[in-house]
PDB file of all heavy atoms in Angstrom:
ATOM      1  N   HIS A  64      -4.611   3.305  -5.730  1.00 87.00           N
ATOM      2  CA  HIS A  64      -5.511   4.426  -6.000  1.00 87.00           C
ATOM      3  C   HIS A  64      -6.441   4.092  -7.165  1.00 87.00           C
ATOM      4  O   HIS A  64      -6.074   3.379  -8.090  1.00 87.00           O
ATOM      5  CB  HIS A  64      -4.700   5.678  -6.328  1.00 87.00           C
ATOM      6  CG  HIS A  64      -4.069   6.303  -5.124  1.00 87.00           C
ATOM      7  ND1 HIS A  64      -2.824   5.957  -4.676  1.00 87.00           N
ATOM      8  CD2 HIS A  64      -4.526   7.255  -4.277  1.00 87.00           C
ATOM      9  CE1 HIS A  64      -2.538   6.676  -3.610  1.00 87.00           C
ATOM     10  NE2 HIS A  64      -3.549   7.462  -3.337  1.00 87.00           N
ATOM     11  N   SER A  65      -7.623   4.639  -7.112  1.00 86.00           N
ATOM     12  CA  SER A  65      -8.622   4.413  -8.159  1.00 86.00           C
ATOM     13  C   SER A  65      -8.264   5.192  -9.414  1.00 86.00           C
ATOM     14  O   SER A  65      -7.414   6.084  -9.398  1.00 86.00           O
ATOM     15  CB  SER A  65     -10.007   4.853  -7.670  1.00 86.00           C
ATOM     16  OG  SER A  65     -10.018   6.261  -7.463  1.00 86.00           O
ATOM     17  N   ASP A  66      -8.964   4.880 -10.505  1.00 87.00           N
ATOM     18  CA  ASP A  66      -8.757   5.618 -11.750  1.00 87.00           C
ATOM     19  C   ASP A  66      -9.152   7.080 -11.580  1.00 87.00           C
ATOM     20  O   ASP A  66      -8.512   7.967 -12.134  1.00 87.00           O
ATOM     21  CB  ASP A  66      -9.571   4.988 -12.890  1.00 87.00           C
ATOM     22  CG  ASP A  66      -9.027   3.633 -13.290  1.00 87.00           C
ATOM     23  OD1 ASP A  66      -7.832   3.361 -13.026  1.00 87.00           O
ATOM     24  OD2 ASP A  66      -9.802   2.834 -13.868  1.00 87.00           O
ATOM     25  N   SER A  67     -10.196   7.329 -10.792  1.00 88.00           N
ATOM     26  CA  SER A  67     -10.625   8.715 -10.594  1.00 88.00           C
ATOM     27  C   SER A  67      -9.575   9.502  -9.806  1.00 88.00           C
ATOM     28  O   SER A  67      -9.381  10.689 -10.045  1.00 88.00           O
ATOM     29  CB  SER A  67     -11.983   8.781  -9.889  1.00 88.00           C
ATOM     30  OG  SER A  67     -11.919   8.206  -8.607  1.00 88.00           O
ATOM     31  N   ALA A  68      -8.877   8.848  -8.880  1.00 87.00           N
ATOM     32  CA  ALA A  68      -7.806   9.527  -8.148  1.00 87.00           C
ATOM     33  C   ALA A  68      -6.674   9.881  -9.104  1.00 87.00           C
ATOM     34  O   ALA A  68      -6.102  10.968  -9.019  1.00 87.00           O
ATOM     35  CB  ALA A  68      -7.300   8.632  -7.021  1.00 87.00           C
ATOM     36  N   THR A  69      -6.360   8.968 -10.003  1.00 88.00           N
ATOM     37  CA  THR A  69      -5.307   9.229 -10.990  1.00 88.00           C
ATOM     38  C   THR A  69      -5.711  10.387 -11.900  1.00 88.00           C
ATOM     39  O   THR A  69      -4.891  11.252 -12.221  1.00 88.00           O
ATOM     40  CB  THR A  69      -5.030   7.960 -11.817  1.00 88.00           C
ATOM     41  OG1 THR A  69      -4.708   6.891 -10.912  1.00 88.00           O
ATOM     42  CG2 THR A  69      -3.871   8.154 -12.767  1.00 88.00           C
ATOM     43  N   GLN A  70      -6.972  10.424 -12.310  1.00 92.00           N
ATOM     44  CA  GLN A  70      -7.454  11.522 -13.154  1.00 92.00           C
ATOM     45  C   GLN A  70      -7.439  12.844 -12.392  1.00 92.00           C
ATOM     46  O   GLN A  70      -7.107  13.885 -12.942  1.00 92.00           O
ATOM     47  CB  GLN A  70      -8.863  11.234 -13.659  1.00 92.00           C
ATOM     48  CG  GLN A  70      -8.924  10.116 -14.667  1.00 92.00           C
ATOM     49  CD  GLN A  70     -10.352   9.724 -15.014  1.00 92.00           C
ATOM     50  OE1 GLN A  70     -11.304  10.186 -14.388  1.00 92.00           O
ATOM     51  NE2 GLN A  70     -10.502   8.860 -16.013  1.00 92.00           N
ATOM     52  N   MET A  71      -7.787  12.795 -11.119  1.00 92.00           N
ATOM     53  CA  MET A  71      -7.811  13.999 -10.287  1.00 92.00           C
ATOM     54  C   MET A  71      -6.425  14.616 -10.172  1.00 92.00           C
ATOM     55  O   MET A  71      -6.287  15.840 -10.077  1.00 92.00           O
ATOM     56  CB  MET A  71      -8.350  13.653  -8.896  1.00 92.00           C
ATOM     57  CG  MET A  71      -8.506  14.846  -7.979  1.00 92.00           C
ATOM     58  SD  MET A  71      -8.940  14.385  -6.293  1.00 92.00           S
ATOM     59  CE  MET A  71     -10.448  13.504  -6.538  1.00 92.00           C
TER      60      MET A  71
END
Side-chain angles (χ1 to χ4, degrees):
H64 285 89
S65 65
D66 290 337
S67 62
T69 305
Q70 290 172 352
M71 184 187 302

